[in-house]
């Protein structure tokens, strides 16, 4: 159901690696338990979105960590986010998911094809990668950076995008450092929760300024 009096103008926002319900990540982010972590994220996200508008949020992977019950919880949190934004701000949230290595629908998992439909309970689209035009550039989106990881071993290399020089929005690394460059010199913009001010989704206009400044 659409909010009252809304047109179809969209505002894009970006974030990655919410890890709803994940105990370890919650603790690393300074929360005593996953419930407090999830409540903080949901409130922070609702606070940053405008009222009386259509909002397009790109989540660049890793909704959760765990089995099917944990994933159901994470998808439920996103459904709740949609409902709360409509009720509290009369804004409609359109959700697009770039799948991460911890998402069961990512094609790195052999049974991913059985899981995709579950993601449509919360998401309007799910895909492994996407692109968006901003600041005169074709900007790519993927869960993984062109290169780099938060572990010694780089994971998911089979599913990383080929580096042909385009700026890349990514998650996965959980780095608080938002700007990096690939070995080929391409701009990588980390949008993991840890890299986003106040753990809030980053508005398109902010990402465009980064692209203009660092490309």
């Amino acid at each position: 159901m659409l909010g009252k009096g809304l047109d179809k103008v969209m505002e894009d926002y970006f974030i990655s690696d919410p890890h709803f319900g994940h105990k370890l990540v919650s603790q690393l982010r300074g929360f005593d338990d996953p419930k407090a972590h999830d409540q903080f994220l949901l409130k922070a996200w609702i606070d940053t979105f405008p009222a009386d508008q259509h909002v397009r949020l790109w989540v660049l992977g890793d909704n959760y960590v765990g089995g099917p019950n944990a994933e159901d919880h994470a998808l439920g949190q996103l459904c709740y986010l949609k409902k709360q934004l409509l009720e509290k701000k009369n804004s409609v949230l359109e959700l697009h998911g770039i799948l991460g290595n911890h998402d069961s629908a990512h094609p790195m998992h052999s049974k991913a094809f059985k899981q995709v439909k579950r993601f449509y309970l919360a998401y309007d689209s799910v895909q492994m990668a996407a692109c968006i035009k901003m600041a005169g550039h074709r900007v790519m989106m993927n869960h993984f950076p062109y290169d780099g990881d938060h572990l010694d071993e780089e994971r998911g290399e089979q599913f990383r995008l080929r580096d042909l020089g385009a700026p890349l929005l990514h998650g996965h690394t959980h780095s608080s450092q938002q700007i990096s460059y690939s070995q080929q010199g391409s701009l990588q913009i980390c949008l993991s929760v840890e890299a986003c001010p106040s753990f809030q989704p980053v508005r398109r206009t902010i990402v465009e300024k980064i692209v203009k400044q660092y490309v």
Side-chain angles (χ1 to χ4, degrees):
M1 178 179 178
L2 297 180
K4 289 185 177 181
L6 299 186
D7 55 30
K8 272 310 250 190
V9 174
M10 294 279 185
E11 289 202 73
D12 286 293
Y13 289 77
F14 307 88
I15 201 162
S16 187
D17 302 279
H19 283 261
F20 291 115
H22 188 187
K23 184 176 181 180
L24 176 59
V25 170
S26 298
Q27 291 174 342
L28 291 173
R29 291 174 179 168
F31 297 89
D32 292 332
D33 65 86
K35 184 176 180 180
H37 166 267
D38 292 1
Q39 289 175 342
F40 181 91
L41 286 190
L42 291 173
K43 183 179 185 304
W45 293 14
I46 291 170
D47 286 348
T48 199
F49 293 139
D52 303 314
Q53 290 193 31
H54 280 78
V55 178
R56 184 188 289 120
L57 175 63
W58 295 88
V59 181
L60 307 183
D62 284 7
N63 296 276
Y64 83 118
V65 169
N69 290 339
E71 188 165 72
D72 286 343
H73 167 76
L75 294 173
Q77 295 288 63
L78 292 172
C79 291
Y80 180 75
L81 174 66
K82 282 186 168 183
K83 180 181 178 182
Q84 286 293 295
L85 189 61
L86 184 60
E87 291 179 357
K88 293 179 179 296
K89 290 194 167 182
N90 190 46
S91 287
V92 173
L93 181 62
E94 186 177 300
L95 269 174
H96 296 278
I98 304 297
L99 296 167
N101 54 298
H102 288 297
D103 296 317
S104 65
H106 193 287
M108 67 165 45
H109 305 298
S110 62
K111 296 182 180 180
F113 67 97
K114 295 182 178 181
Q115 304 299 327
V116 174
K117 64 182 180 180
R118 296 174 62 248
F119 280 71
Y120 281 98
L121 297 173
Y123 283 99
D124 294 278
S125 76
V126 288
Q127 53 232 295
M128 194 181 80
C131 68
I132 188 169
K133 290 185 177 181
M134 59 172 67
H137 295 273
R138 186 180 178 90
V139 178
M140 306 306 296
M141 290 186 280
N142 191 24
H143 178 66
F144 298 103
Y146 288 129
D147 42 59
D149 209 309
H150 60 87
L151 300 178
D152 292 337
E153 179 184 357
E154 293 203 1
R155 295 165 295 163
E157 290 183 288
Q158 185 76 56
F159 298 93
R160 296 186 185 224
L161 293 179
R162 185 180 177 189
D163 186 357
L164 298 177
L168 174 67
L169 311 183
H170 70 90
H172 185 63
T173 62
H174 290 263
S175 175
S176 60
Q177 181 178 333
Q178 199 169 64
I179 306 301
S180 69
Y181 289 91
S182 70
Q183 294 177 14
Q184 300 290 335
S186 302
L187 175 64
Q188 303 182 139
I189 303 174
C190 180
L191 292 166
S192 296
V193 165
E194 292 83 354
C196 297
S198 303
F199 293 175
Q200 294 174 315
V202 179
R203 194 171 180 172
R204 178 190 175 116
T205 53
I206 302 300
V207 178
E208 285 181 322
K209 288 179 181 179
I210 295 172
V211 172
K212 288 179 181 178
Q213 182 176 354
Y214 289 96
V215 170

